[in-house]
Amino acid sequence: MLVESPPEQSAETAPAPPARRAVRAFGLLLAVAILVLVALASIAIGAKELSLGQVWHGLFEDSGTYGDVVVAERLSRTVLGLLAGAALGLAGAVLQALTRNPLADPGLLGINAGASAAVVTAITYFGVTSLSGYVWFAFFGAAAVGALVWFLGGSRGATPVRLALAGTAISAALYGYLQAVMIMDEAALGKMRFWTVGSLASATDSTITQVLPFLLTGTVLALALARPLNAMAMGDDTAKALGADLNRTRALSMLAATVLCGAATAACGPIVFVGLMVPHVVRSFTGPDLRWILPYAAILSPVLLLGADVIGRIVARPSELQVGIVTAILGGPVFILLVRRRRTAQL
């Protein structure tokens, strides 16, 4: 059963002491340093072993074999991992604040299901076979489901519980449709099998270019929502007293999460647990203030995604495990731990 968490004290009315702000700022810089190291590892480490000298040569001096491996493949998937990871982390943080459920993730509102159903429809009924074609169908599928969830959840009268229930119901229906189509169409099953697990391996400059405007727009919108979402964490009546427009904040939060998760899913396929784990973990050391949660989630989510991608390349050499499989393997035990901790805290 979906239950709203009790309102948390907003950082708007309880500013953190200077010492804690300094610690948070230092932690943010440390997170950036970790992200840089993981990004460098993503470029240097792959299913094909290359020395650091060969990687350097491929990046800056060679347009031949090393350049093809390092620049055309690893650099593109690293950039896409950075963008998609940040998008999933921000979407998860916004949805957890919107639904007042710290265990919510982008899949809760049916966004992943919408993207997946649109892609299988494109393959089966429109003959789309290229990743560039998947991107647009996936994005518009996610956007359509986001709008439908908003409408069924009550639009201007939407509440966190109604949005979550609407998203869950639509997800169940769409996944049933997706499974039915793939069972009846073996060709669709073969083409969808790689996309549905979530992967960065098909990253190209074209894919990045197509989703970048949406990711940037969603990122700016999500960061701008930190203050009104902080006010809403104190409860609807208090938020209204503080001047927050509840309907506008909820609508813009839905829009931001849909754009971010839709674009990331369109480019990489549905990747689970990133939008759930990172914001939840971040909240444990930043507190409830979204002005800190959002930047931390945008930095540490790519660390998780790229780190999982690197692990997937190492453990299955000379082949590789898709990043969606690795995040699911890592995320399952972590999710169980989070649920047990939350249950213990409520006893």
Side-chain angles (χ1 to χ4, degrees), residues 46-47 77 194 197-202 271 305-330:
R77 74 190 291 172
F194 182 78
V197 297
S199 174
L200 299 175
S202 299
I271 296 176
L305 188 60
L306 289 176
D309 191 42
V310 171
I311 292 172
R313 296 183 226 173
I314 294 174
V315 298
R317 281 176 172 168
S319 184
E320 64 178 72
L321 285 176
Q322 279 69 44
V323 66
I325 297 174
V326 180
T327 57
I329 293 173
L330 296 175

Side-chain angles (χ1 to χ4, degrees), residues 30 36 69 94 104 107 120-121 134-135 139 174 219 246 261 306 336:
L30 182 61
V36 171
V69 172
V94 169
V120 77
T121 299
Y134 296 167
V135 166
F139 179 77
L174 288 177
T219 297
L246 301 185
C261 186
L306 289 176
I336 293 172

Side-chain angles (χ1 to χ4, degrees), residues 71-73 75-77 79-80 83 130-136 202-215 263 266-268:
V71 177
E73 297 179 14
L75 186 60
S76 294
R77 74 190 291 172
V79 172
L80 183 59
L83 295 173
S130 66
L131 182 63
S132 60
Y134 296 167
V135 166
W136 293 106
S202 299
T204 64
D205 293 342
S206 175
T207 303
I208 294 170
T209 302
Q210 290 179 67
V211 300
L212 183 59
F214 299 104
L215 294 175
C268 309

Side-chain angles (χ1 to χ4, degrees), residues 108-135:
L108 180 66
L109 298 186
I111 297 171
N112 286 345
S116 299
V119 170
V120 77
T121 299
I123 292 172
T124 304
Y125 299 110
F126 297 100
V128 178
T129 58
S130 66
L131 182 63
S132 60
Y134 296 167
V135 166

Side-chain angles (χ1 to χ4, degrees), residues 126-207:
F126 297 100
V128 178
T129 58
S130 66
L131 182 63
S132 60
Y134 296 167
V135 166
W136 293 106
F137 275 92
F139 179 77
F140 286 119
V145 168
L148 182 59
V149 168
W150 176 248
F151 174 76
L152 294 179
S155 56
R156 294 184 64 85
T159 63
V161 171
R162 291 175 69 178
L163 289 173
L165 289 173
T168 301
I170 292 173
S171 292
L174 288 177
Y175 278 124
Y177 162 77
L178 190 151
Q179 294 298 325
V181 171
M182 291 200 301
I183 289 173
M184 292 186 295
D185 188 341
E186 293 184 3
L189 174 61
K191 294 172 183 176
M192 279 289 293
R193 186 167 48 194
F194 182 78
W195 187 83
T196 53
V197 297
S199 174
L200 299 175
S202 299
T204 64
D205 293 342
S206 175
T207 303

Side-chain angles (χ1 to χ4, degrees), residues 83-95:
L83 295 173
L88 293 172
L90 286 171
V94 169
L95 288 177

